[in-house]
Every structure is written in C-alpha cells, then in structure tokens.
Amino acid sequence: MPKGLIFLLVMIAVIIVYTIAKVVRYVRLSEQQWKEVDKSKLKEWKDDEW
C-alpha cells in the first residue's frame, strides 16, 4: 500500500475514535447533570398524552 493511503486510513481511524470518545463523554456528562436536576420544578405538559 502507498504511504499516503496508510496515513489517510490512520487519520480516519483516529477521527472516528476521537468522535466516539467525545460522544461517550457528553452522554456521561448529560446523565450526571440530569441526576443533579431538581426534578420537582419540572413542568408536566398536557400534550404529552397521545
């Protein structure tokens, strides 16, 4: 394989791993923030019933 192609494939793999790591980080942060929310102040919407 040409060196350029190997470099391109490695860069694509690094970008994919980085993106997945960021998504996992933000999911964990979101779950942590949701646990800290004062749920007693959440509003109940009437149009949630289908």
Side-chain angles (χ1 to χ4, degrees):
M1 275 197 208
K3 286 185 178 181
L5 181 59
I6 293 173
F7 177 73
L8 182 63
L9 293 175
V10 168
M11 288 304 295
I12 291 172
V14 167
I15 291 170
I16 290 172
V17 168
Y18 176 78
T19 303
I20 291 172
K22 281 289 215 183
V23 168
V24 168
R25 178 174 170 243
Y26 284 128
V27 166
R28 288 181 180 164
L29 178 63
S30 175
E31 288 175 355
Q32 177 187 0
Q33 288 175 339
W34 179 246
K35 288 178 184 176
E36 294 172 1
V37 167
D38 183 6
K39 294 178 181 68
S40 67
K41 297 188 181 196
L42 294 177
K43 184 174 181 176
E44 186 88 20
W45 295 94
K46 298 241 181 207
D47 62 350
D48 282 345
E49 300 169 7
W50 288 66

